[in-house]
Amino acid sequence: VSLEALWGAVLAENPRHRAFLEGALAGLRPDEVTELDAYVAWLAAEGHPIEYLAECYNTVVLDTLREQIWFNRHGHYRHSTFAEVAGDVYHNPDYMRRYMVGLALTAFVWPNHAAMRRHFLATLPTARGGAYLEIGPGHGFYFLSAIRRARFERYVGVDISATSVDLTRRVVGHFLGGLPAHVDIRQGDFLADAVPEAPFAAIVMGEVLEHVEAPGRFLARIADLSDADTHIHVTTCINAPAVDHIYLFRTPEQIEALVRDAGLAVQDRCLMPYVGKTLEECARDRLAVNVAYTLRKSR
Ligand SMILES: C[S@@+](CC[C@H](N)C(=O)[O-])C[C@H]1O[C@@H](n2cnc3c(N)ncnc32)[C@H](O)[C@@H]1O
């Protein structure tokens, strides 16, 4: 399976995506192409035909577009409760697998998602010991990247979706030649389940806050599981509709107020405007902005 064949299959189903895709692929670094190539080769080895992988990618592209149209018309996300989306998304193995594999592909390809992936890798403390926690690893590619690059003594992943747990276990197992003894990937609700390894040296929560009803409670729980040295990495998005986004952030200030209320402080933030637009244009036209934060416990 070659990446060229994958993009060919994507465009055969979705020809209007060509200009965006070609522009995006031109921005990939050679090492990223190598990593993406290995990921796609593994998916193919898992028995997924190229048409299926193209469908995964196009599911994310087209479902996001549909939600964007809905958002432009109504000014808010279609759904606002976990119950409305959980059955169709997190607990629907067929949809969830397509969605998560598609999302992993966008993490390389979409310039905003690629920028978040690079930011995650650039800020990850790779020389620390202690335990690493990731909330909602989803496709598992960030979790795998952390294990490959860092030296934490223990890695814990918690995801509410059985499909995400399975995908994360498989991707880690494949690229590390089996699931290592110091890696634990559990199915559970981050708000409800005990996490006995706390305090953690690092806590990572990528693209979860906009998927939950009470993001402030997630941040407060992160603070509970941290000490003053914990490296906390959180990403989310503003005005960015998707099938399962239920909490609408309209400004970075709104996110940062929740962060402060949870007993956390912003150390560093990276705002990534919609491709080809400025942050001002995004704010004016309510276009999607991705945002990545490095946080510390403040009290
Ligand atoms: C959009 S995916 C994010 C995947 C990956 N972290 C990334 O940044 O691309 C969100 C993940 O959060 C999980 N999730 C949602 N609510 C959760 C909860 N209460 N506890 C644990 N995981 C949750 C979902 O099942 C899904 O796998």
Side-chain angles (χ1 to χ4, degrees):
V1 174
S2 71
L3 288 178
E4 284 68 31
L6 172 60
W7 305 132
V10 163
L11 293 175
E13 286 303 311
N14 186 7
R16 284 196 290 179
H17 194 55
R18 178 176 296 279
F20 177 90
L21 184 62
E22 286 178 352
L25 293 175
L28 289 192
R29 298 189 315 235
D31 59 306
E32 293 171 332
V33 175
T34 305
E35 209 171 351
L36 177 58
D37 199 35
Y39 180 60
V40 169
W42 167 65
L43 290 167
E46 286 264 289
H48 298 307
I50 198 124
E51 294 74 20
Y52 174 79
L53 301 182
E55 195 190 327
C56 293
Y57 180 81
N58 281 329
T59 295
V60 177
V61 172
L62 296 172
D63 286 2
T64 304
L65 186 63
R66 202 185 53 228
E67 294 310 309
Q68 183 71 54
I69 292 165
W70 202 94
F71 178 69
N72 291 348
R73 191 167 297 155
H74 298 272
H76 56 86
Y77 294 162
R78 191 193 298 263
H79 302 297
S80 58
T81 66
F82 188 76
E84 283 172 284
V85 297
D88 289 342
V89 182
Y90 309 121
H91 304 312
N92 175 338
D94 171 54
Y95 187 83
M96 192 62 179
R97 186 166 300 271
R98 262 188 296 138
Y99 178 29
M100 285 300 117
V101 169
L103 197 64
L105 296 172
T106 73
F108 284 93
V109 175
W110 290 10
N112 277 11
H113 287 191
M116 284 207 294
R117 212 177 73 82
R118 290 171 190 152
H119 186 267
F120 164 71
L121 295 175
T123 55
L124 183 73
T126 52
R128 283 202 199 171
Y132 169 100
L133 171 67
E134 189 165 326
I135 303 142
H139 44 73
F141 211 87
Y142 282 70
F143 192 68
L144 169 68
S145 305
I147 302 171
R148 281 169 134 180
R149 286 170 168 82
R151 295 198 206 140
F152 297 105
E153 284 140 34
R154 195 160 164 70
Y155 293 83
V156 179
V158 180
D159 200 295
I160 206 162
S161 161
T163 308
S164 293
V165 169
D166 180 58
L167 272 172
T168 301
R169 284 186 184 150
R170 278 176 189 275
V171 79
V172 170
H174 171 75
F175 283 99
L176 300 184
L179 209 56
H182 66 306
V183 173
D184 185 3
I185 302 154
R186 310 171 190 152
Q187 186 181 1
D189 179 350
F190 174 60
L191 282 187
D193 294 359
V195 194
E197 295 85 350
F200 288 90
I203 301 183
V204 170
M205 185 168 71
E207 303 294 290
V208 176
L209 278 188
E210 67 279 16
H211 294 255
V212 302
E213 289 176 23
R217 290 181 58 206
F218 277 67
L219 293 166
R221 178 104 167 106
I222 288 177
D224 282 348
L225 302 177
S226 299
D227 62 25
D229 293 327
T230 305
H231 167 83
I232 303 168
H233 177 87
V234 171
T235 71
T236 184
C237 49
I238 294 163
N239 292 325
V243 281
D244 54 348
H245 288 182
I246 59 174
Y247 197 96
L248 172 58
F249 292 112
R250 296 182 187 272
T251 63
E253 290 70 31
Q254 194 187 345
I255 302 167
E256 288 155 28
L258 285 184
V259 164
R260 275 193 305 276
D261 290 349
L264 299 169
V266 175
Q267 283 218 311
D268 165 63
R269 74 172 192 182
C270 178
L271 299 178
M272 287 145 283
Y274 194 86
V275 179
K277 302 285 178 181
T278 64
L279 285 171
E280 293 70 30
E281 287 168 331
C282 288
R284 187 192 66 206
D285 299 336
R286 281 195 315 215
L287 295 171
V289 174
N290 288 100
V291 40
Y293 288 101
T294 307
L295 308 174
R296 279 279 189 280
K297 187 165 171 141
S298 62
R299 58 171 186 252

